[in-house]
Amino acid sequence: MRAVGRARALVRVRLRAWLRLRARLRLRARGRVPVRARVLAAAVLALGPVAVSAGGCSGPTTASGGPDTSDSTVSTGPGAPSAATPLEPLPAAVPAALAPYYAQQPTWQPCDGGFECTTFRVPMDYDRPGDGDLTLSAARATAETSGSADPRLGSLLLNPGGPGGSAIEYLEAVARTYDRAVHAHYDLVGLDPRGVGRSNPVSCLSGDRMDAFTAADLAPGNQRAVDALVAADKEFAEGCRKQAGPALGHLSTVESARDMDVLRALLGDERLNFVGKSYGTFLGATYAGLFPSRVGRVVLDGAMDPALDSVTGNRTQAGGFETAWAAFAKDCAKREDCPLGRTEQQAGDQLTALLAAIHADPLPSTDHGRRLTGSQATTGVVQAMYAEFLWSQLRTALTDAEAGDGTGLLKLSDAYYGRAADGSYPNLMSANTAVNCLDLPAPFGSPEDVRRALPDFERASPHFGRDMAWMALTCAYWPVRATGAAHTIRAAGAAPIVVVGTTRDPATPYDWARSLAGQLESGRLLTYDGDGHTAYGQRSACVDGAVNRFLLTGEAPEQGKRCDS
């Protein structure tokens, strides 16, 4: 899912409902037995929307504001501005004050029907170890070895993105369908990052208040509406401050990457093997920058660009969703059940008219009297941009909305936020915002800042730019100051790192992958020419083959390798 504030949530977050639905569909497709933040800019879990990270320029763009995908040449381009400070590695030796954490002997216990779970301690503040600890949770599915032909290669950590996506939930959803050869050689491991899932989760609002927060007007047309939006953002931030306490200032990506190194040691691995999706790519790249000599086989799929400031990151992500919308509209126009006309232009015009109508008069739904607001309708459309298999659901939802029923779009919006049928929410959005607001300075400090930026956002994305600009206001009211800033990551001396980019990825625009691969000294760009958010394990035998070969043999794909849809 997002850049900074609510907007960044799209790029870094993956909703549980989205994840579970995808897992079920993949199981059906394979014939096997079965086993997502208000910050609308970066998303899920690698499975759902991602929230954008902050960023500078994203590089060449198309007329629609999306990335130029005319070639797959690795380029730092303007996406890695000279003003971005390089991330410096930490000392190779473990400091004496941290030695007790690295020397823990966690006990793995059976859990969750066939998995093993454990907990371990990390310092809340790595600059002051011993001055308060956090307890983190991890789970694993041990390697499915079948004999000497399947030598164990160690542990493979998985992270689905967010920030805020539970790696434990992700592991338990995909372990039984993960590539058999890879699982035969690796223990698959999920670590819930600090503040997420089972690891000291931060939660800011009750279900009913979260309903109000997600329904708040993100296209305020008058001062009263602006005041209401600001009040909602402030209520959310204050809820987080009260619930999380001092830990709220220690949920950054850098700290989570250091936690991963503790777990690596506790697992007995000399090097970290890792597959990160969406925000997980930022987490994995940060690890590589801090601990380059401990990089094993690392795959970063649906890459974020750490060199981007928060304003640029949110704006370019909006352009990514516009690019995805254009692909959807083009496909929709060819289908008999398309409710938006027979050309891409007609589809765009009708969507604009529909969203404006819903904004003026929210639609009823069949969900206990809830009404679909314009902001929720936009979020529902955004949710469907994450994966092609959701396009048919979106066509039906738009048809129903044209007829006055908002149920379908409301369900898509709920899936984005992870809202359950009983009205409860996971801590996804709370964690997403908490991490994003620490990782980068707020993109906007006031509604006036947003208004000044609106023309640029709307040029990048006529359909989603306005909402995403207002979504990025949340961090202006965050109770703790940002500890991070835009930076480049070189990871000098690290083993090859595979960066996967999808040309029409809505949440992590393709140019971000090009930039990250160009920053990393050992980065190898693998391009998937297609639609949807992330590529490995989803739709391309070419991508899967290249990534699996790397994980199993260490042979990285040639630079600039391209896989077509």
Side-chain angles (χ1 to χ4, degrees), residues 99 185 330 358 444 505 507:
H185 294 78
K330 183 177 180 179
I358 297 173
F444 305 121
D505 190 312

Side-chain angles (χ1 to χ4, degrees), residues 340-357:
L340 300 177
R342 287 293 171 261
T343 68
E344 183 181 330
Q345 182 64 49
Q346 289 177 352
D349 291 345
Q350 289 195 224
L351 178 66
T352 298
L354 177 62
L355 294 178

Side-chain angles (χ1 to χ4, degrees), residues 211-212 214-216 357-377 404-411 413-414 419:
D211 278 347
T214 63
I358 297 173
H359 174 76
D361 186 12
L363 296 179
S365 79
T366 60
D367 187 356
H368 301 87
R370 297 172 67 206
R371 299 181 70 85
L372 174 77
T373 67
S375 296
Q376 289 168 325
D405 181 2
T407 304
L409 285 176
L410 187 59
K411 286 182 178 179
S413 176
D414 285 349
R419 185 185 189 275

Side-chain angles (χ1 to χ4, degrees), residues 32 84 106 118 128 136 138 151-152 176 187 190 201 214 226 266 314 335 366 372 376 400-401 427 448 484 507 545 562:
R32 296 181 183 172
T118 194
R128 303 176 66 180
L136 307 186
R152 186 179 180 280
R176 293 178 176 85
D187 294 339
T214 63
V226 170
L266 302 186
N314 279 285
R335 300 177 181 273
T366 60
L372 174 77
Q376 289 168 325
D400 292 344
N427 90 303
E448 290 70 30
R562 194 177 190 93

